[in-house]
Amino acid sequence: METAVIHSGYDAKEHLGSLATPIFQTSTFTFESAEQGERRFAGEEDGFIYSRLGNPTVKALEERIAELEGAEAGLAFGSGMAAVSAILMALTKSGDHILCSQGVYGCTFGLLQLMEEKYQITHDFCSMETEEQLETLIRPETACIYVETPINPTMKLIDLELVAKIAKKHGIPVVVDNTFSSPYLQQPLKAGCDIVLHSATKYIGGHGDVIAGLAAGKKELIHTIAMTTLKDVGGVMSPFDAWLLLRGMKTLPVRMDRHCENAEYIVEQLKQHPAVQQVFYPGDATGGDYEIMQKQMKKGGGLISFEINGSKQHAQQLLNRLSLIKIAVSLGDAETLIQHPATMTHSGVPEQKRVQMGISDKLIRLSVGLEAKQDIWEDLQQALDQLMEVKTPIQSKQA
Ligand SMILES: Cc1ncc(COP(=O)(O)O)c(C=O)c1O
């Protein structure tokens, strides 16, 4: 993995020895003859045609994500949501049904609603804890199973092997949104799932400067998506964004190790603070999903969510009292980011559904960055102390 993030998908010899992947900032590619153009369109000759159909910089990135996810092929999109929508639209038709994890990103929820209202593609949410729960909700018209794990923002895990086993029995493809883990911490295809996708905006880019999506899976399935709901709907990635991602990806393992180390430290501190009611973190050995984490994730990741002893107003006060930690949605950046899911990322989910998903008004999501972990905690601690008007001693600053 550490080597593949740097080298796979690119050979400097093919590009005048350029160490960095060149940015092919072109919309189209010239043909040597009309006949060559015909052959390329007919798929009889390899080569680029037009950047919405393929671009060398983007292709290097697609090959890299395929390698990292252990897939036959990869595909790049203009955003994470472009990936989610292109995949779900490619796998379903009017009258079909999608079975989803009990909780998905707010805009994915919005897309599911839109597909139901406009195209009669229905969905159900399922906690997916047992075979029986899945079996009860799978119908003859279930066209795919869509899973987030860890789930945004509750950090609940889904057992991918269990879901893949049941799906296989019914011949239903499993799509996994792997945004929270990145391929460094979790590789869903190895657990038997069929398509993995990312909001590459997050850990894969890692620097908060690009909006992008990636997917990987079997060649045939990826080709179908590339030639239908990517090509014809058009949510493609720009060559410059592909270049930013190739650049960011090189440090993915190093960054993820540091994100995880920092998050583990913050979890331990949060658990001891009287203003904190509950902490949700996959890597917490006392948490309910620790066994699943050990089975399918390398480490617990860089995201934590926690509930405070208080109300929505207290949650907002906490955010307002931070200074190093920035109030922002998105995650996986070098900067520690904090947000209030009920009024931000998941504000589009009706309250009743939100509560079912475990998103209360006192839930806060923290994307732990790469700063010194003591600095992150110091900022959080002073805000938590002020919040509850309790003064706790400054934690010891051991390394
Ligand atoms: C889990 C998850 N999936 C998908 C998306 C959508 O990605 P993008 O914002 O790149 O479109 C997000 C965005 O926050 C996300 O958190």
Side-chain angles (χ1 to χ4, degrees):
M1 174 70 71
E2 286 78 358
T3 305
V5 290
I6 297 167
H7 294 284
S8 66
Y10 181 67
D11 184 355
K13 286 202 289 296
E14 292 171 9
H15 299 287
L16 306 171
S18 174
L19 180 69
T21 315
I23 307 171
F24 285 85
Q25 192 67 38
T26 183
S27 53
T28 198
F29 297 83
T30 58
F31 304 129
E32 284 166 15
S33 65
E35 290 76 12
Q36 185 184 52
E38 183 182 9
R39 286 195 302 278
R40 291 220 179 146
F41 269 89
E44 291 161 6
E45 178 187 300
D46 283 342
F48 295 97
I49 297 174
Y50 182 68
S51 278
R52 180 158 45 75
L53 280 58
N55 173 283
T57 315
V58 178
K59 184 165 173 264
L61 176 67
E62 291 173 336
E63 287 181 9
R64 193 164 293 177
I65 190 66
E67 174 85 21
L68 300 184
E69 288 287 5
E72 287 176 8
L75 201 55
F77 303 82
S79 70
M81 283 317 300
V84 177
S85 55
I87 292 166
L88 287 181
M89 283 163 67
L91 293 177
T92 57
K93 61 179 186 327
S94 180
D96 278 348
H97 170 253
I98 303 169
L99 188 56
C100 301
S101 50
Q102 185 70 281
V104 287
Y105 169 57
C107 293
T108 303
F109 181 87
L111 174 72
L112 290 166
Q113 275 198 316
L114 184 143
M115 289 173 81
E116 183 155 343
E117 283 159 19
K118 285 180 99 85
Y119 309 115
Q120 294 77 50
I121 298 165
T122 58
H123 60 269
D124 275 307
F125 293 102
C126 176
S127 53
M128 303 187 181
E129 282 160 359
T130 63
E131 292 187 14
E132 293 70 36
Q133 286 173 349
L134 283 151
E135 293 284 6
T136 311
L137 289 168
I138 289 174
R139 308 189 210 150
E141 58 280 15
T142 304
C144 83
I145 298 183
Y146 185 90
V147 171
E148 261 182 38
T149 181
I151 295 175
N152 182 1
T154 56
M155 305 310 296
K156 183 121 195 56
L157 302 189
I158 301 287
D159 183 338
L160 292 173
E161 246 175 44
L162 175 90
V163 174
K165 186 179 111 186
I166 305 298
K168 214 148 256 135
K169 202 170 108 189
H170 293 268
I172 303 168
V174 180
V175 180
V176 181
D177 183 334
N178 202 22
T179 300
F180 272 33
S181 299
S182 88
Y184 180 64
L185 298 182
Q186 178 172 271
Q187 294 159 322
L189 303 185
K190 292 195 176 150
C193 301
D194 300 277
I195 300 188
V196 57
L197 72 91
H198 293 271
S199 165
T201 312
K202 314 293 168 12
Y203 287 112
I204 290 180
H207 294 76
D209 49 15
V210 62
I211 296 280
L214 287 170
K218 286 233 160 64
K219 211 176 224 161
E220 207 183 310
L221 200 46
I222 292 294
H223 183 72
T224 301
I225 300 163
M227 287 299 123
T228 57
T229 50
L230 178 57
K231 174 175 80 68
D232 298 336
V233 180
V236 293
M237 182 184 287
S238 80
F240 181 65
D241 287 351
W243 182 83
L244 281 172
L245 292 168
L246 284 162
R247 188 177 197 258
M249 245 176 172
K250 291 183 187 183
T251 54
L252 179 71
V254 181
R255 288 188 282 107
M256 289 313 294
D257 281 341
R258 176 66 171 264
H259 281 300
C260 293
E261 183 194 321
N262 282 1
E264 285 163 16
Y265 174 81
I266 300 296
V267 165
E268 285 317 308
Q269 308 308 315
L270 281 172
K271 280 166 72 177
Q272 292 167 36
H273 200 285
V276 175
Q277 198 171 65
Q278 224 178 331
V279 181
F280 306 97
Y281 181 64
D284 178 4
T286 63
D289 289 335
Y290 191 60
E291 232 173 87
I292 304 177
M293 190 301 279
Q294 285 185 306
K295 197 161 91 168
Q296 65 193 31
M297 291 174 76
K298 192 172 172 156
K299 293 178 185 180
L303 279 146
I304 303 167
S305 60
F306 59 95
E307 282 186 328
I308 51 157
N309 284 313
S311 62
K312 171 183 146 186
Q313 283 69 31
H314 288 110
Q316 290 179 327
Q317 277 171 25
L318 171 70
L319 266 57
N320 290 336
R321 284 172 180 153
L322 295 164
S323 58
L324 174 75
I325 299 171
K326 305 300 173 218
I327 307 170
V329 295
S330 203
L331 56 105
D333 295 331
E335 296 83 359
T336 298
L337 304 179
I338 198 159
Q339 68 114 353
H340 183 241
T343 57
M344 295 181 187
T345 51
H346 290 71
S347 56
V349 180
E351 193 180 350
Q352 191 202 351
K353 275 258 159 34
R354 222 169 42 223
V355 171
Q356 270 171 15
M357 289 178 177
I359 307 168
S360 69
D361 279 353
K362 53 188 178 178
L363 186 78
I364 288 168
R365 190 189 79 188
L366 184 71
S367 170
V368 181
L370 303 176
E371 303 96 337
K373 56 192 174 197
Q374 295 86 354
D375 290 338
I376 302 169
W377 175 241
E378 210 166 276
D379 196 23
L380 257 180
Q381 188 186 35
Q382 60 79 25
L384 285 163
D385 286 353
Q386 283 189 62
L387 177 71
M388 304 313 285
E389 294 176 356
V390 286
K391 298 285 173 215
T392 53
I394 298 286
Q395 300 292 322
S396 67
K397 291 198 171 187
Q398 77 274 24

